[in-house]
Amino acid sequence: MTGEPRATIGRRSFVGVGVASLISAGVGFAVIIIVPKTFGDDQAATTTFLAFWSFLFAWYGILGGLSSETTRAVHVSDALDRPDRREPRLLGVGLAVGVGLGVLLWASSLWWGPAVLGSEYAWLAGPLSCSVALYSGHATIVGILGGRLEWATFARLVIGDSALRIVLVGGAALIAASVAGFAVAASAASVAWLIGLLFSPTLRRAASARSDVGLGELLKRIGHACLASGSSAVLVVGFPVILTLTSTRAEYEAAAALLVAVTFTRAPLLIPLNAYQGVAIAHFVNNRSAGLRALAPVARLIALIAVAGAVVGGLIGPWLLTLVYGPDYVISGWTVAGLVLAAAMLALLTLTGALCLALEKHRWFSLGWLAATALAVLILLLPLEGEGGTELRTVLALGIGPLAGLVIHLVVLRRASRQERTVTA
């Protein structure tokens, strides 16, 4: 094996995936603008929907582990020369995982529902559970397309999912402007991949893809990938959920501006990075011998963006927030700057995790994300009260928590790089 890099994505496909991620980000922004505007002064309804939205996408994030592992699995599997394949079909396994999670969520909603979703949990648990079950198919198909380098179809599927979501949410704003109405609209978009199967031969071929390993090993690897993705999702999109669990109800309902700021400050880095995560994994699998060297250019770019973003965000972020959402949405400049830097830490952890997965270091991949989430939750439990206490806990949790995961990932990656150099020497 040589150290020469091999192409994973062409220029046109790279742009296509980028456009798809921008559209997906735009839809996310539109939803968190439409819903507060629709509810007006009812901040309790806004925070309830934001909790639902973040909880839904936290579970989508957990199922992102299916995408990561199926990208790796099918990229390796399609290169195997085995005439009599007996490995399990990836879509069937992915759907089984998703349906199992959906049923478990619905059955346990009496326990978690009141704490996470408040008094309306009974109306929200059903659509959330069904959407999680359906989304597992989307996550698996997207992963297979990434592993096969079918980036054009990958981009169309991401765009289709986003387009359906904004149409449904826009319709809800017109005819069912309630927390439950918006929740059903946001959840129902997870059927987009099923619609795509009717029209795309590429998607139908992806539905028959097989793993590179047997069922038991595949489930173990999916478990590690979903555990890591779940920890990532808690910090990336599920943060309002852990904030409500570590704050009083009054503190949480007063944190609408903070929650919106968390979303806006991390989007410029994390949405494109998550969109290209499949590209990164496929690239790392193709170029295993590069090891940590493959991370250096992107890490430098993230650092530059983070420093510039922190300065700009600290200066104009509070003004933009009040301009878009109104005078009740007030936040300090230092909080915005801190959140931008925290987003950079999460971005770096996402990259090191992708490299761990590509090198089949699944256990260390999940351990790093678990450590990051655990440290973040511990920081959120610190008794920092008074004015600005919630903001300070949030910035510290999201900024310092990922350091624990980065240390774990970098240690194992450095060790793997030394072993690779020894083998190729």
Side-chain angles (χ1 to χ4, degrees), residues 61-62 160 168 180 279 338 374 397 415 417:
I62 291 171
L168 293 174
V279 179
R415 186 185 305 159
S417 294

Side-chain angles (χ1 to χ4, degrees), residues 197-288:
L197 284 176
L198 299 176
F199 301 99
S200 172
T202 302
L203 287 181
R204 291 194 292 273
R205 287 193 297 271
S208 64
R210 292 184 181 274
S211 173
D212 63 324
V213 294
L215 179 60
E217 181 64 21
L218 176 62
L219 288 174
K220 184 170 71 173
R221 294 183 178 193
I222 286 174
H224 280 297
C226 287
L227 188 61
S229 294
S231 300
S232 166
V234 167
L235 293 179
V236 175
V237 295
F239 183 76
V241 175
I242 59 173
L243 185 62
T244 191
L245 294 175
T246 55
S247 307
T248 67
R249 193 67 189 173
E251 287 175 331
Y252 179 74
E253 289 182 353
L258 176 62
L259 295 177
V260 171
V262 168
T263 300
F264 272 91
T265 52
R266 61 184 38 181
L269 274 175
L270 294 179
I271 289 178
L273 188 59
N274 286 331
Y276 287 108
Q277 191 168 11
V279 179
I281 292 170
H283 176 74
F284 291 149
V285 170
N286 274 344
N287 303 280
R288 292 169 61 99

Side-chain angles (χ1 to χ4, degrees), residues 167-195:
V167 167
L168 293 174
V169 170
L174 295 174
I175 63 175
S178 64
V179 174
F182 281 122
V184 171
S187 301
S190 56
V191 303
W193 69 276
L194 287 172
I195 299 172

Side-chain angles (χ1 to χ4, degrees), residues 55-401:
F55 197 53
L56 176 66
F57 275 83
W59 284 99
Y60 285 178
I62 291 171
L63 292 174
L66 286 172
S67 295
S68 300
E69 176 54 23
T70 52
T71 294
R72 187 211 61 79
V74 79
H75 198 67
V76 175
S77 176
D78 284 357
L80 298 176
D81 184 17
R82 297 178 185 169
D84 185 19
R85 300 295 300 275
R86 295 182 179 275
E87 295 87 358
R89 297 192 187 276
L90 290 166
L91 181 59
V93 175
L95 282 173
V97 170
V99 170
L101 283 177
V103 171
L104 182 62
L105 270 176
W106 181 81
S108 62
S109 60
L110 285 173
W111 172 64
W112 57 261
V116 175
L117 302 175
S119 59
E120 297 192 49
Y121 78 92
W123 297 99
L124 304 178
L128 186 143
S129 302
C130 291
S131 187
V132 167
L134 281 168
Y135 187 81
S136 63
H138 172 92
T140 305
I141 290 289
V142 163
I144 294 169
L145 293 173
R148 288 183 168 175
L149 311 185
E150 297 278 2
W151 301 118
T153 305
F154 176 102
R156 285 194 290 270
L157 182 55
V158 171
I159 292 171
D161 178 81
S162 300
L164 181 57
R165 181 166 287 105
I166 194 59
V167 167
L168 293 174
V169 170
L174 295 174
I175 63 175
S178 64
V179 174
F182 281 122
V184 171
S187 301
S190 56
V191 303
W193 69 276
L194 287 172
I195 299 172
L197 284 176
L198 299 176
F199 301 99
S200 172
T202 302
L203 287 181
R204 291 194 292 273
R205 287 193 297 271
S208 64
R210 292 184 181 274
S211 173
D212 63 324
V213 294
L215 179 60
E217 181 64 21
L218 176 62
L219 288 174
K220 184 170 71 173
R221 294 183 178 193
I222 286 174
H224 280 297
C226 287
L227 188 61
S229 294
S231 300
S232 166
V234 167
L235 293 179
V236 175
V237 295
F239 183 76
V241 175
I242 59 173
L243 185 62
T244 191
L245 294 175
T246 55
S247 307
T248 67
R249 193 67 189 173
E251 287 175 331
Y252 179 74
E253 289 182 353
L258 176 62
L259 295 177
V260 171
V262 168
T263 300
F264 272 91
T265 52
R266 61 184 38 181
L269 274 175
L270 294 179
I271 289 178
L273 188 59
N274 286 331
Y276 287 108
Q277 191 168 11
V279 179
I281 292 170
H283 176 74
F284 291 149
V285 170
N286 274 344
N287 303 280
R288 292 169 61 99
S289 61
L292 278 170
R293 296 193 307 275
L295 294 178
V298 183
R300 286 194 293 267
L301 179 61
I302 288 172
L304 288 172
I305 293 173
V307 172
V311 173
V312 174
L315 292 174
I316 69 172
W319 171 76
L320 282 175
L321 198 66
T322 55
L323 178 68
V324 174
Y325 289 97
D328 292 333
Y329 285 78
V330 178
I331 197 167
S332 65
W334 74 262
T335 299
V336 176
L339 290 174
V340 173
L341 295 176
M345 300 302 298
L346 284 169
L348 290 173
L349 184 58
T350 300
L351 277 175
T352 57
L355 183 53
C356 285
L357 188 68
L359 297 179
E360 299 187 11
K361 305 294 184 182
H362 291 68
R363 183 175 299 173
W364 295 101
F365 171 46
S366 59
L367 183 60
W369 274 107
L370 282 172
T373 303
L375 182 55
V377 172
L378 286 175
I379 293 172
L380 281 175
L381 291 171
L382 291 175
L384 301 176
E385 300 176 355
E387 186 176 356
T390 303
E391 294 181 8
L392 180 58
R393 286 189 295 126
T394 296
V395 171
L396 291 177
L398 293 177
I400 297 175

